[in-house]
Amino acid sequence: MLKENLVLIGNGMAGVRTLEELLKLAPDAYNITVFGEEPYGNYNRIMLSPVLASEKTIEQIMLNSEQWYVDNGITLHKGKKVEQINRARREVIASDGTVAKYDRLIIATGSLSFMLPLPGADKQGVIGFRDIKDVDTMLEAARNHQHAVVIGGGLLGLEAANGLMKQGMDVTVVHLLDTLMERQLDKPAATMLQKSLEERGMKFLMEHSTAEILGNERVTGIRFKNGTEIPADLVVMAVGIKPNIELGKAAGLHCERGIVVSDTLQTITDPKIYAIGECVQHRGTAYGLVAPLFEQAKVAANHLAKYGIAQYRGTVTSTRLKVTGIELFSAGDFIGNDKTEDLVFKDAASGTYKRLVLQDNKIKGAVMYGDTVDGSWYFEMMKDGTDISAFRKTILFGQHNLGDSGHNPETRVASLPDSAEICGCNGVCKGDIVKAITEKKLFTLDEVRAHTKASASCGSCTGLVESLLAHTVGGEYSATPKTKPLCKCTDYTHDEIRSGILKHELKTMPAVRDHFEWKTPDGCPTCRNALNYYLLCAFPTEYVDDAQSRYINERVHGNIQKDGSYSVVPRMFGGMCTSDQLRAIADVADKYEVPTMKVTGGQRIDMFGIQKEQLPAMWKDLSAAGFVSGHAYGKAMRTVKTCVGSEWCRFGTQDSTGLGVKLEELTWGSWMPHKFKLAVSGCPRNCAEATIKDIGVVCVDSGYELHIGGNGGIKVRVTDLLCKVETEAEVLEYTGAFCQFYREDAHYLERTAPWVERVGLEKVKTAILGDAANRKALYERFLISQQPAQIDPWKARAEGAEANEFTPILIEA
Amino acid sequence: MSKWIEVVELYKIPVLGSRLIKTRDMDIAVFRASDDSVFAVRDACPHRGGPLSQGIVHGHTVTCPLHNWKIDLHTGGALAPDRGCTNVFPVKIEDGKVYLQLVTEDEASAC
């Protein structure tokens, strides 16, 4: 088949990112030709400010060398401006007469500095701040001249002014309004920013409107509308950008402020022509930041690769100022309205200011000055719509204040030394991450994970890695997209897929993958395990479990250890045991020469160092002695930890051990989104540590307190009190109902603690407490799901189920 | 080259699963993909020697159960950005039976 021709106009970040995404999806689909007006390869435009400030060199901000274009078979016409698009003949014509035919065309012409139409604006030394040429002009001026004036006190203007000041110039910023960066900051933050810039030597003329630029050939000064004048050898106009739509307009494409595109980034006039980046207008918005443009690139590439399932629905953006030593962050609606509330922290002496705009206990916007470490955290919660009522009192003090052992107060990521360990699971230091980000030009969390493994295991350091990314890339790093797809095989989210399974009665994995147009035939380890669970949860009596979509631990009902051997945990209900049971375990340990035994944190006995082929025989013996599997290796209910309770303890108020046994008999064998643990304490001394379990029962004189959503793992979280009940029967019913609600609502691999934080305690309370009928229905569904689940997998394996799995093939030769 | 050895009937390898073959020198994992193609690689992840036979198969790739490295079953090579590779052994299907060639470690192709 003949390859189609794809032409890209504009060799900038948006266009080239689209090509990179396209090459990942469909490397051989097109003959690709790129036209770039600038005489360079592709560079990181958002890093021009650090170049101007001499913190980086041009080489350091190049993204793709010319060799990259060669390696990928892309024809690059650099330094050639496309002057015409002939839509009838489907070709583009460049200034030097080069003609390129296209089947599909991408316009990524970016934006231009908005130049004020002032008298004298055409004089030498009057420039914008957009490209390497502008930076060169500024550096040149700094060598030979003294006075610089920057018109515009926005993000770009202040970055330019800072750079020029660093080059030794005397810089005045002229701004029309009375506060700086009014599109990103509220008044208190803007005032603090202005003060610290003034301390560095920057001068400001606020509420000044320029009337005329003075001079003969070269600029010599500026006159304002109020009649005053100041000297100037260089004038940088940074009053905004305008989408560069001339070419699109001339080609007859519908343009408003930018070239108007649909949710697939196709121009609404001509579907063969795509437009992307700062030159486009999508649902009324034209973006000037990098995160949206990367999201757009992904969608356009998906469409170009003819998958056609991705859609762009707009991006929530955040801003940081790339001026070294000034920490500033803003996102969302930071002004608010009469329906919103403010949380404000201001310490003028230390130069710290934080403001969160809330509506219904959800973050709508944030402005931070001086201390922005938690910016990414707030931003994530804002995008996810997290209910913050549980930690509203401390939220302004940051993530490390949540009693979170993973982030101690010292983890102020910017001030950490390079040797500081960021990811404890994989032993990755700050220096490694920063090096990978700069050398490999990484922009997204996923890329950092892939290259460094940081935050790729338990994920507790995700916030830190995102902060590092934001600090290192300097500005608008490519934040996690608004909605996270289940995995790379699909664009749909966990929730969309779960509700689709129920709504369309999709009862097999291929049916789900067909319905949601999976990109891979078999799925991947992430989605296969998740889908297997979702189907099992939705159709407990019908769905046939898929062993090959389970992690090895669940497939063979043992815990794989680092040398490939397994460990085995017999279930001891409520931690109770008899001398006969202990003897039986000891006999099995002798017979199979178990090298190590250990009592676990959940009051069970773990036997280590078992070879896989020994497992069925060993289980047979354990089954014969009356044991079932402890499920200590599954995304399943694991243990019910107990204290001794009223039977022996001086303080025990209820039979906590007996209740623990009943709870374990109720819940054992149930598959869960993640591992799931219970505990019952006989009195508020809480010897069973019930307040860090997924469900904790604390017995008191008058009944039972039910606690939920605790976690003693990576990120310690104390439970929330769900309610208090009076009878054991109620404990069982409420527990079953909670289990089922969690099973049906949480994402696969989401433990109860983050789930409760994500959906909010109120939602859980409403489901369990608000409506007795609903609670009973949940409980009923849980009991139904338990009927096929409470079958001892060990007994089944010992009797020969999946025997192939355990029998190696021996070859003598 | 050494001779072809019949090791197992194809239907006895679960689809998207594996069988473990123990030889005098080493363990070899034989995988069956969803398109019924069969692969044989040394049962040791290039990362820390994890048993690839116990991993999850997807496409023509297996994910190591220990630390989630992904190994290309055609070449034995780890998928980028990880690096390293394990040996690949010649394997074929005839009359529903899987045959393996037990080449020495030096002869076994590896990327």
Side-chain angles (χ1 to χ4, degrees):
Chain A
M1 205 173 84
L2 273 177
K3 279 196 195 177
E4 290 193 311
N5 292 316
L6 175 67
V7 173
L8 166 64
I9 305 175
N11 188 25
M13 297 178 76
V16 176
R17 186 68 168 203
T18 310
L19 297 185
E20 287 177 338
E21 296 283 354
L22 175 62
L23 290 170
K24 273 193 244 166
L25 296 174
D28 302 317
Y30 296 96
N31 292 313
I32 303 174
T33 306
V34 179
F35 286 89
E37 202 176 326
E38 290 187 66
Y40 311 96
N42 172 246
Y43 64 89
N44 185 348
R45 195 180 301 274
I46 59 177
M47 295 307 260
L48 284 175
S49 298
V51 172
L52 178 61
S54 293
E55 286 160 5
K56 293 233 182 313
T57 64
I58 295 282
E59 288 68 42
Q60 284 174 327
I61 68 163
M62 296 308 294
L63 292 172
N64 288 307
S65 65
E66 292 185 29
Q67 189 59 41
W68 178 82
Y69 295 85
V70 176
D71 292 345
N72 286 288
I74 298 171
T75 311
L76 172 64
H77 295 292
K78 55 178 183 172
K80 288 189 194 174
K81 183 178 178 180
V82 171
E83 299 215 307
Q84 197 198 334
I85 300 168
N86 186 327
R87 281 170 50 207
R89 297 168 62 98
R90 272 196 236 141
E91 59 188 29
V92 303
I93 302 145
S95 48
D96 67 337
T98 310
V99 174
K101 287 207 161 284
Y102 68 82
D103 296 294
R104 298 193 193 204
L105 175 67
I106 309 172
I107 302 178
T109 44
S111 61
L112 303 167
S113 293
F114 183 74
M115 301 298 278
L116 294 169
L118 297 169
D122 54 348
K123 291 191 199 311
Q124 222 182 58
V126 182
I127 57 166
F129 182 21
R130 267 320 277 165
D131 53 28
I132 291 180
K133 197 174 89 237
D134 294 331
V135 172
D136 286 342
T137 308
M138 288 193 241
L139 292 175
E140 170 69 26
R143 278 192 287 275
N144 304 314
H145 300 281
Q146 210 201 332
H147 297 288
V149 173
V150 176
I151 302 179
L155 189 68
L156 205 58
L158 294 180
E159 287 182 3
N162 177 65
L164 292 167
M165 213 165 59
K166 284 240 171 133
Q167 299 299 338
M169 294 192 85
D170 174 76
V171 184
T172 305
V173 175
V174 177
H175 198 52
L176 201 57
L177 303 175
D178 64 343
T179 62
L180 297 173
M181 288 180 66
E182 70 281 354
R183 288 178 61 186
Q184 290 90 14
L185 298 182
D186 62 359
K187 198 150 188 172
T191 309
M192 292 172 95
L193 171 65
Q194 185 175 342
K195 184 162 163 271
S196 66
L197 289 170
E198 277 168 348
E199 280 164 10
R200 292 165 171 232
M202 205 180 283
K203 295 173 190 161
F204 290 93
L205 289 174
M206 306 303 282
E207 297 180 82
H208 272 62
S209 178
T210 312
E212 187 183 354
I213 292 172
L214 309 172
N216 296 321
E217 209 162 300
R218 188 177 179 92
V219 54
T220 57
I222 281 186
R223 181 159 63 233
F224 298 105
K225 287 201 174 136
N226 65 11
T228 56
E229 287 180 18
I230 56 166
D233 309 306
L234 174 75
V235 174
V236 180
M237 293 217 198
V239 290
I241 54 172
K242 55 173 183 185
N244 183 8
I245 58 173
E246 288 314 310
L247 190 61
K249 224 178 188 170
L253 301 176
H254 177 63
C255 298
E256 289 171 12
R257 208 145 60 83
I259 302 171
V260 180
V261 294
S262 67
D263 286 359
T264 48
L265 282 312
Q266 288 165 296
T267 59
I268 58 164
T269 317
D270 184 342
K272 294 208 174 301
I273 304 183
Y274 297 70
I276 188 162
E278 293 184 344
C279 63
V280 313
Q281 180 177 331
H282 170 264
R283 296 192 182 186
T285 307
Y287 294 99
L289 297 169
V290 77
L293 118 204
F294 282 175
E295 271 190 55
Q296 292 175 354
K298 228 176 168 148
V299 173
N302 183 289
H303 201 271
L304 282 164
K306 298 181 183 165
Y307 285 118
I309 46 174
Q311 287 203 325
Y312 180 67
R313 298 193 170 104
T315 310
V316 189
T317 55
S318 68
T319 314
R320 280 174 196 267
L321 181 71
K322 290 181 292 297
V323 172
T324 309
I326 293 186
E327 297 293 329
L328 182 159
F329 175 90
S330 85
D333 171 14
F334 56 85
I335 299 294
N337 53 47
D338 54 358
K339 292 199 184 80
T340 60
E341 309 162 87
D342 284 350
L343 293 182
V344 182
F345 174 87
K346 186 173 179 186
D347 179 358
S350 77
T352 311
Y353 171 75
K354 299 181 191 183
R355 170 147 170 248
L356 292 179
V357 176
L358 305 180
Q359 189 171 346
D360 301 331
N361 279 322
K362 285 172 186 165
I363 300 178
K364 292 284 151 195
V367 190
M368 308 169 73
Y369 183 84
D371 175 4
T372 59
V373 160
D374 291 301
S376 322
W377 183 54
Y378 296 142
F379 188 47
E380 277 301 294
M381 291 193 289
M382 181 177 114
K383 288 188 297 180
D384 292 345
T386 306
D387 185 315
I388 59 131
S389 46
F391 44 104
R392 187 178 156 125
K393 276 186 198 152
T394 56
I395 189 169
L396 278 180
F397 302 107
Q399 194 170 16
H400 64 266
N401 234 287
L402 284 180
D404 170 353
S405 67
H407 308 276
N408 63 43
E410 281 75 44
T411 50
R412 315 304 275 179
V413 71
S415 57
L416 286 174
D418 275 354
S419 59
E421 188 175 83
I422 300 290
C423 175
C425 298
N426 296 302
V428 191
C429 299
K430 177 183 169 186
D432 303 334
I433 298 173
V434 172
K435 197 164 155 232
I437 293 171
T438 45
E439 285 183 1
K440 301 208 165 79
K441 329 270 189 213
L442 310 182
F443 280 104
T444 67
L445 181 65
D446 276 348
E447 288 169 346
V448 175
R449 274 188 185 150
H451 281 91
T452 66
K453 304 285 176 212
S455 88
S457 293
C458 77
S460 70
C461 60
T462 302
L464 285 177
V465 176
E466 286 216 299
S467 298
L468 262 183
L469 192 58
H471 274 271
T472 311
V473 176
E476 314 83 1
Y477 71 102
S478 191
T480 324
K482 245 198 298 196
T483 51
K484 289 174 198 160
L486 191 154
C487 71
K488 285 176 183 152
C489 304
T490 178
D491 287 324
Y492 292 95
T493 63
H494 283 268
D495 292 327
E496 286 166 341
I497 289 164
R498 284 204 93 163
S499 53
I501 286 174
L502 288 174
K503 189 172 162 207
H504 303 287
E505 298 203 16
L506 308 170
K507 294 189 177 176
T508 65
M509 258 191 271
V512 178
R513 288 197 289 258
D514 279 354
H515 183 86
F516 288 101
E517 297 175 308
W518 237 244
K519 298 173 198 170
T520 51
D522 314 329
C524 69
T526 305
C527 61
R528 281 243 301 278
N529 295 15
L531 292 187
N532 192 48
Y533 169 74
Y534 289 155
L535 289 164
L536 200 64
C537 180
F539 310 109
T541 54
E542 287 178 70
Y543 176 68
V544 181
D545 190 72
D546 178 23
Q548 304 309 332
S549 297
R550 285 192 179 273
Y551 184 64
I552 183 67
N553 284 358
E554 293 186 347
R555 216 160 70 221
V556 305
H557 302 279
N559 237 334
I560 194 166
Q561 303 295 347
K562 65 188 222 178
D563 62 351
S565 71
Y566 291 82
S567 75
V568 160
V569 181
R571 187 171 287 286
M572 287 158 66
F573 287 80
M576 293 288 284
C577 60
T578 64
S579 54
D580 278 344
Q581 286 176 326
L582 289 178
R583 217 167 355 251
I585 290 176
D587 287 344
V588 167
D590 282 346
K591 181 170 170 187
Y592 296 94
E593 296 175 336
V594 171
T596 304
M597 292 172 77
K598 182 185 180 302
V599 176
T600 71
Q603 301 175 326
R604 309 291 182 267
I605 292 171
D606 204 349
M607 292 184 269
F608 289 87
I610 321 292
Q611 297 308 308
K612 190 177 173 190
E613 52 267 37
Q614 290 182 299
L615 288 172
M618 187 165 160
W619 292 335
K620 192 165 188 224
D621 292 352
L622 286 167
S623 291
F627 288 105
V628 299
S629 165
H631 291 81
Y633 35 72
K635 308 302 175 205
M637 202 296 286
R638 295 193 170 182
T639 59
V640 181
K641 188 171 182 170
T642 54
C643 73
V644 72
S646 58
E647 192 186 356
W648 295 93
C649 176
R650 302 184 278 147
F651 303 111
T653 63
Q654 311 277 1
D655 176 15
S656 53
T657 317
L659 180 57
V661 172
K662 284 178 194 155
L663 281 172
E664 190 155 354
E665 283 168 351
L666 172 71
T667 54
W668 78 271
S670 63
W671 296 110
M672 295 283 186
H674 208 303
K675 62 181 170 186
F676 192 91
K677 299 175 179 180
L678 294 84
V680 188
S681 282
C683 77
R685 287 168 190 77
N686 195 10
C687 295
E689 295 159 349
T691 49
I692 51 163
K693 295 291 186 282
D694 297 279
I695 295 180
V697 181
V698 177
C699 303
V700 291
D701 244 353
S702 54
Y704 306 86
E705 288 177 358
L706 293 184
H707 298 258
I708 57 150
N711 190 341
I714 293 155
K715 193 169 159 181
V716 177
R717 182 182 193 270
V718 172
T719 44
D720 293 305
L721 178 65
L722 179 68
C723 61
K724 207 181 130 195
V725 297
E726 286 174 11
T727 64
E728 281 197 348
E730 284 172 305
V731 174
L732 295 176
E733 178 182 315
Y734 283 63
T735 298
F738 175 79
C739 285
Q740 187 64 11
F741 188 52
Y742 167 60
R743 281 164 46 89
E744 291 177 2
D745 193 78
H747 298 167
Y748 189 67
L749 295 189
E750 184 174 43
R751 291 203 63 181
T752 56
W755 170 66
V756 168
E757 286 187 3
R758 179 170 64 82
V759 305
L761 183 60
E762 275 317 305
K763 181 173 172 181
V764 181
K765 282 190 167 170
T766 309
I768 313 280
L769 310 176
D771 178 355
N774 187 53
R775 176 175 66 246
K776 287 190 194 307
L778 282 166
Y779 183 51
E780 189 60 31
R781 288 207 292 282
F782 182 68
L783 293 179
I784 291 170
S785 79
Q786 282 297 77
Q787 287 162 10
Q790 286 193 336
I791 286 165
D792 182 23
W794 284 358
K795 191 150 179 272
R797 298 304 178 287
E799 286 169 357
E802 289 163 22
N804 269 354
E805 169 85 61
F806 300 93
T807 322
I809 298 161
L810 303 176
I811 289 184
E812 290 302 318
Chain B
M1 290 291 267
S2 56
K3 61 180 175 113
W4 288 99
I5 304 167
E6 182 191 329
V7 285
V8 66
E9 284 156 299
L10 179 65
Y11 81 92
K12 287 187 176 167
I13 312 175
V15 176
L16 290 173
S18 74
R19 291 298 301 273
L20 178 63
I21 308 220
K22 283 185 177 287
T23 74
R24 250 198 311 244
D25 296 330
M26 69 180 92
D27 292 353
I28 296 172
V30 178
F31 296 95
R32 177 175 172 192
S34 54
D35 59 4
D36 271 351
S37 50
V38 171
F39 303 91
V41 305
R42 182 176 186 164
D43 191 29
C45 178
H47 177 219
R48 291 199 191 162
L52 296 173
S53 56
Q54 313 301 304
I56 289 179
V57 184
H58 45 105
H60 291 173
T61 309
V62 63
T63 296
C64 177
L66 290 194
H67 303 99
N68 278 329
W69 277 39
K70 294 181 176 48
I71 308 298
D72 181 340
L73 294 172
H74 288 278
T75 64
L79 297 193
D82 293 323
R83 279 186 220 170
C85 65
T86 192
N87 306 89
V88 178
F89 296 88
V91 66
K92 66 174 180 184
I93 309 172
E94 269 174 24
D95 297 335
K97 290 173 184 138
V98 178
Y99 293 83
L100 177 70
Q101 229 174 14
L102 274 189
V103 290
T104 64
E105 206 171 322
D106 296 337
E107 289 168 345
S109 68
C111 49

